[in-house]
Amino acid sequence: MYSCYRVSDELKDAAYLAMKESGVEFIASMNMYFNKNTGLYYCQSSGLYYDTKMSVFYTLEEGKYSYHSSAKPDETKSAFAKTCIRAIVKDTSCHKVKPGQLYMFTCMGGSVGREGNHVAVFPEIRVSKRHATVSYCSGRYYIMDEGTMNGSFLNGVRLSVQKVVSERFELSHLDELRIGSTTLQLHIHANHDTCKWCEPGLNVPSDKPIATTISEPPTLYKQRNKETNRLKRKYKLMGSG
């Protein structure tokens, strides 16, 4: 079992080094590959190349880039704020992860892995370095297992067999995603909406309803506002309605 993990990780490391030496790097926050030589991003799902400075998409045929379409920055920013996934840790035995911990996936997509530049990092042996990828297309979110040994489970169903990259599976509100020992409950809300189970800064150790009260302790109120403002600054949502 150990040798399988070792060979798998060595192959991924070799592929990563080869890609980096060629000037190509995967940007998890954008779910795209960036080519330092051309300055263009590559979207694997659409097969298009994107110029962030000009907000233009290109196709590549026989070594030549051709104009495909354009995207206005304002439209991109609007789509960024339209919907997001708040992934709440429901259960885990990973020592660096706590129940109630919050991870946010925007329409820029993101990934989950054991270490590295991921939206969610679960440092345990059952999780691969790059384990799963979340993507966004036409108003819907999708999950894909990256051909891992231990798999990704959506509502208890494994996405693919060992070492086989899965198809993309659509994600829905209140779906449960298990990676390693960690189970995430997914909350998909429009704009900045939340529900009482996914307020930033609040721990949600189970799926039991949270008792509502007329008032809440001042420290809890400050904690929630502080965490909400931190996330808004991180995802550039400050000042938006």
Side-chain angles (χ1 to χ4, degrees):
M1 179 67 71
Y2 174 76
S3 62
C4 290
Y5 278 115
R6 186 174 179 180
V7 171
S8 177
D9 284 344
E10 285 179 353
L11 287 173
K12 288 182 179 179
D13 288 344
Y16 174 77
L17 289 173
M19 185 172 65
K20 200 160 188 178
E21 287 176 0
S22 67
V24 177
E25 184 179 359
F26 183 78
I27 309 299
S29 60
M30 295 188 68
N31 197 31
M32 291 185 184
Y33 293 90
F34 177 67
N35 190 324
K36 295 180 180 179
N37 299 319
T38 64
L40 299 177
Y41 289 84
Y42 174 68
C43 178
Q44 189 173 16
S45 60
S46 66
L48 297 176
Y49 294 82
Y50 181 55
D51 184 341
T52 56
K53 295 180 180 179
M54 301 296 293
S55 297
V56 172
F57 290 95
Y58 298 94
T59 58
L60 178 62
E61 295 181 4
E62 299 180 353
K64 182 180 179 181
Y65 292 98
S66 300
Y67 173 84
H68 179 273
S69 58
S70 60
K72 296 180 181 178
D74 290 342
E75 292 177 352
T76 304
K77 191 177 291 185
S78 175
F80 189 85
K82 275 184 179 178
T83 181
C84 67
I85 296 178
R86 290 174 174 84
I88 308 292
V89 176
K90 183 178 179 182
D91 185 46
T92 185
S93 61
C94 183
H95 70 286
K96 290 190 176 181
V97 182
K98 297 179 180 179
Q101 195 163 332
L102 171 68
Y103 301 95
M104 184 177 286
F105 293 87
T106 70
C107 63
M108 302 302 289
S111 55
V112 181
R114 185 173 72 242
E115 58 184 65
N117 184 26
H118 305 290
V119 171
V121 177
F122 303 142
E124 59 175 311
I125 192 63
R126 285 180 286 179
V127 178
S128 298
K129 285 186 177 180
R130 182 176 177 82
H131 198 102
T133 300
V134 173
S135 58
Y136 177 87
C137 183
S138 302
R140 300 176 187 273
Y141 282 95
Y142 299 88
I143 183 76
M144 181 179 72
D145 183 89
E146 296 286 355
T148 61
M149 283 290 295
N150 293 299
S152 305
F153 296 80
L154 182 61
N155 298 322
V157 179
R158 184 165 180 158
L159 301 186
S160 65
V161 298
Q162 287 185 350
K163 300 183 181 180
V164 175
V165 177
S166 75
E167 298 178 8
R168 292 194 310 164
F169 290 84
E170 185 177 346
L171 298 172
S172 300
H173 183 58
L174 295 183
D175 274 351
E176 291 191 357
L177 175 66
R178 179 164 63 84
I179 292 177
S181 69
T182 302
T183 299
L184 299 169
Q185 188 176 67
L186 308 181
H187 295 257
I188 304 176
H189 293 290
N191 217 337
H192 309 300
D193 294 345
T194 59
C195 63
K196 60 183 179 181
W197 289 283
C198 67
E199 275 290 330
L202 297 180
N203 280 351
V204 186
S206 71
D207 56 355
K208 296 179 181 179
I210 299 174
T212 56
T213 57
I214 295 176
S215 61
E216 60 185 0
T219 54
L220 185 60
Y221 178 80
K222 290 179 180 178
Q223 179 189 11
R224 183 178 62 184
N225 280 355
K226 182 178 179 181
E227 183 68 6
T228 301
N229 289 332
R230 184 187 71 81
L231 290 170
K232 285 183 176 180
R233 286 193 298 269
K234 180 178 180 180
Y235 295 100
K236 299 179 176 62
L237 300 177
M238 295 297 288
S240 55

